[in-house]
Amino acid sequence: EAAPAGAMEAKLSQSLDDIVAASRRASGGGTKRRHQTRTPIAKASRGDTISSRLGGKTGGRPAAAKQAWRKHVQRKRDAATGETVVRFYETDVVRIGTDDIVLSSGGYSNDVTRHCINDALSNYVFSVKQSLSGDWFVSDGRTRLVRFTDGIVLSGAARELKEREQRGHWRG
């Protein structure tokens, strides 16, 4: 049914809030909310997280599955060169010599390979970081930042650990 012309002009001169309020009064709706009786959210206790409320899983996978890559890591001492070699599957990802450290992803630039490299570097100040664009960088956490390439040599990095051990700054 069409509204009289005067009523339409009256609505056009009103604010939207006034029109909504008038419509609610006319329909008997008032200003009550539909879902006024909501259950309050319980306060989280210390250590209570959303993941623990959902069954304790984090990221959809159990914590043990996230660390499953560790069983494919071998650390050995190369008798011929005197280097410590960290091998992930069939790739030597870290070679620690007397002075230098050599890093390689073997072409597998994914999070698991990066975690494996960082695990091998955990006693050193260096780590491999990933930028938002997906590029990898080697950082000492302070001043050095170098783009990661397979076969990158961190000159003197192994010596730095030895110097810190001698000064008593390293806790292994």
Side-chain angles (χ1 to χ4, degrees):
E1 174 177 323
M8 183 61 76
E9 287 178 12
K11 282 188 176 182
L12 289 175
S13 66
Q14 291 179 331
S15 72
L16 183 59
D17 291 335
D18 293 339
I19 294 171
V20 170
S23 173
R24 282 187 179 157
R25 280 192 303 272
S27 67
T31 57
K32 283 188 178 180
R33 292 185 183 176
R34 277 189 181 169
H35 304 287
Q36 209 168 16
T37 58
R38 291 189 180 191
T39 307
I41 298 173
K43 244 185 177 177
S45 63
R46 187 174 185 90
D48 187 23
T49 62
I50 290 175
S51 66
S52 67
R53 289 184 221 164
L54 298 175
K57 292 185 178 182
T58 56
R61 293 180 7 199
K66 290 184 177 183
Q67 301 295 320
W69 59 268
R70 291 183 186 274
K71 67 183 176 185
H72 301 287
V73 176
Q74 299 172 350
R75 184 182 294 254
K76 64 178 181 164
R77 184 118 176 125
D78 187 344
T81 62
E83 294 178 324
T84 300
V85 178
V86 178
R87 176 172 276 205
F88 184 49
Y89 286 96
E90 300 298 318
T91 305
D92 294 343
V93 292
V94 179
R95 298 182 75 83
I96 304 170
T98 55
D99 291 328
D100 303 334
I101 299 176
V102 180
L103 307 177
S104 176
S105 70
Y108 299 100
S109 54
N110 55 44
D111 285 342
V112 177
T113 303
R114 188 169 49 85
H115 288 304
C116 179
I117 293 171
N118 283 333
D119 190 55
L121 294 174
S122 64
N123 288 338
Y124 301 88
V125 296
F126 296 97
S127 63
V128 178
K129 310 276 186 189
Q130 183 171 336
S131 70
L132 292 175
S133 64
D135 295 328
W136 285 11
F137 294 91
V138 179
S139 170
D140 69 351
R142 290 176 283 163
T143 57
R144 291 183 246 180
L145 185 67
V146 180
R147 184 180 298 271
F148 180 94
T149 57
D150 278 339
I152 187 170
V153 178
L154 305 177
S155 298
R159 193 174 45 239
E160 286 183 29
L161 175 65
K162 291 175 187 170
E163 289 171 3
R164 284 201 325 264
E165 282 178 328
Q166 289 170 355
R167 290 190 306 248
H169 295 301
W170 180 73
R171 295 181 187 132

